[in-house]
Amino acid sequence: MFIVDTQIHVWKEETPDRPWVPGARERIRLNGHREEAFSYQEALGLMDEAKIDRALIVPPSWEGDRIDYSLEACEAHPDRFGVMARVPQNKPEEGAELMRELAANPYVKGTRLTFHRPIDRNWMIDGTCDWYWPLAEELGLVTMVHAPIWKAELGQIAAKHPDLKIIIDHMGIMARCVDDAIGYWVQETADLCKHPNIYVKVSAVPGYSTQPFPNLNIAKYVHEVVDKMGPERAFFGTDITRLMGHGITWTDTVEQFTEHFGFTEEELEWIMGRGISECLGWPVPEGK
């Protein structure tokens, strides 16, 4: 089975020449990410163990909008990594210029916007990001979005820009919701299935359960997304550095879907890799 992880972070240690954004370390601890650097070389070794063919690098927010290390990983291993690049969401001129450059970069498979932190939470609804959507549609930049509280607004954007592919992060779940508390957020997300240009990452799943692995208590919510969206529009992902502190391995995250959640082989083919590959126009190698 061809497997693509739709969300990992890689980063270097913080240094005076490579500072993190203020308050980032505290947010990392709050969200359960490991603090030490996670290199793409380490990621590759773990991917090989888990038989992960590809991973999409989402540059971590604690490094600001820089994507240089992510691009380094892609240049070193173009068959294994792609990047969902960050753009300065509140700087239209700078952001538009960068987006045109990104659209021409073969390592860039799309972009990722965030609307979940105090600094950017309202940028979707206050006009700050209105410039982005038509340009992304024009350039064909697939866009991952982390915006738990703006589901209706995402639906409106999808309807207004039908040629823009929008991928919702982590089933649209609000941070630190677990167990049955995720149901409200998942239903909101799954009900966006009427928009054919909306896709969903069924990602970071173990982090939303307080029950022991394989977290069968929330399998029904993953199935709700897959059933409503269809397996062609529901994409496996891990956010693996958020799970390591809980003793979850990359192999565990794969087997959660392939052995424990009760999906058919045909569904798994789409969920685990084919769906995201077709969405991004990143062909699966022959023989896979």
Side-chain angles (χ1 to χ4, degrees):
M1 183 179 298
F2 189 75
I3 302 178
V4 181
D5 190 330
T6 56
Q7 177 157 336
I8 72 167
H9 300 305
V10 296
W11 68 94
K12 293 183 175 182
E13 295 288 358
E14 182 180 24
T15 66
D17 294 331
R18 195 179 182 87
W20 290 0
V21 299
R25 196 166 294 277
E26 289 73 20
R27 286 204 312 277
I28 287 176
R29 292 170 184 152
L30 184 65
N31 291 325
H33 275 287
R34 69 184 239 175
E35 288 188 57
E36 65 269 28
F38 187 58
S39 70
Y40 64 81
Q41 293 92 341
E42 181 180 357
L44 273 177
L46 295 174
M47 287 166 61
D48 289 342
E49 287 180 14
K51 296 181 172 58
I52 304 286
D53 294 279
R54 288 176 179 160
L56 287 170
I57 298 173
V58 176
S61 59
W62 46 91
E63 288 201 311
D65 289 328
R66 68 187 309 156
I67 63 171
D68 55 313
Y69 188 57
S70 301
L71 288 175
E72 179 185 323
C74 296
E75 290 167 0
H77 302 278
D79 58 330
R80 306 296 301 277
F81 294 121
V83 61
M84 302 301 290
R86 299 183 67 87
V87 298
Q89 296 172 214
N90 62 335
K91 299 176 182 177
E93 291 185 9
E94 179 182 335
E97 181 179 359
L98 177 59
M99 284 172 64
R100 291 187 174 91
E101 294 177 7
L102 295 174
N105 189 321
Y107 305 126
V108 174
K109 307 306 177 184
T111 59
R112 195 230 191 181
L113 306 186
T114 56
F115 301 96
H116 67 292
R117 299 172 298 170
I119 190 174
D120 58 29
R121 185 167 296 142
N122 290 325
W123 286 357
M124 186 186 292
I125 63 168
D126 66 5
T128 300
C129 282
D130 286 356
W131 66 274
Y132 173 86
W133 312 107
L135 182 57
E137 183 179 34
E138 174 191 334
L139 295 173
L141 281 170
V142 179
T143 303
M144 287 183 176
V145 178
H146 191 23
I149 62 176
W150 305 127
K151 304 295 174 37
E153 290 76 9
L154 273 177
Q156 293 166 5
I157 290 167
K160 187 175 181 180
H161 303 284
D163 292 327
L164 173 63
K165 295 178 179 178
I166 299 172
I167 304 173
I168 296 176
D169 286 357
H170 308 324
M171 297 189 286
I173 299 170
M174 176 65 78
R176 289 174 287 285
C177 283
V178 295
D179 301 327
D180 287 333
I182 72 174
Y184 167 82
W185 304 97
V186 170
Q187 181 180 340
E188 272 197 332
T189 303
D191 285 346
L192 292 173
C193 60
K194 63 183 178 181
H195 302 285
N197 55 326
I198 286 184
Y199 307 75
V200 178
K201 287 153 63 177
V202 284
S203 50
V205 172
Y208 296 113
S209 173
T210 62
Q211 299 301 307
F213 182 84
N215 318 118
L216 294 179
N217 67 311
I218 58 172
K220 61 184 177 181
Y221 299 115
V222 178
H223 275 273
E224 181 175 359
V225 172
V226 173
D227 291 346
K228 289 183 178 178
M229 284 282 165
E232 302 86 356
R233 291 197 283 153
F235 308 145
F236 166 78
T238 67
D239 206 8
I240 189 65
T241 49
R242 184 145 61 97
L243 304 177
M244 290 175 170
H246 301 282
I248 302 295
T249 69
W250 230 321
T251 298
D252 289 335
T253 66
V254 171
E255 292 181 349
Q256 185 176 58
F257 278 77
T258 61
E259 297 186 13
H260 299 292
F261 275 5
F263 290 110
T264 67
E265 287 188 17
E266 182 179 0
E267 288 172 327
L268 287 169
E269 179 186 357
W270 284 101
I271 295 166
M272 302 305 291
R274 182 178 173 185
I276 185 63
S277 298
E278 291 200 4
C279 176
L280 299 178
W282 193 7
V284 174
E286 289 188 16
K288 289 289 189 177

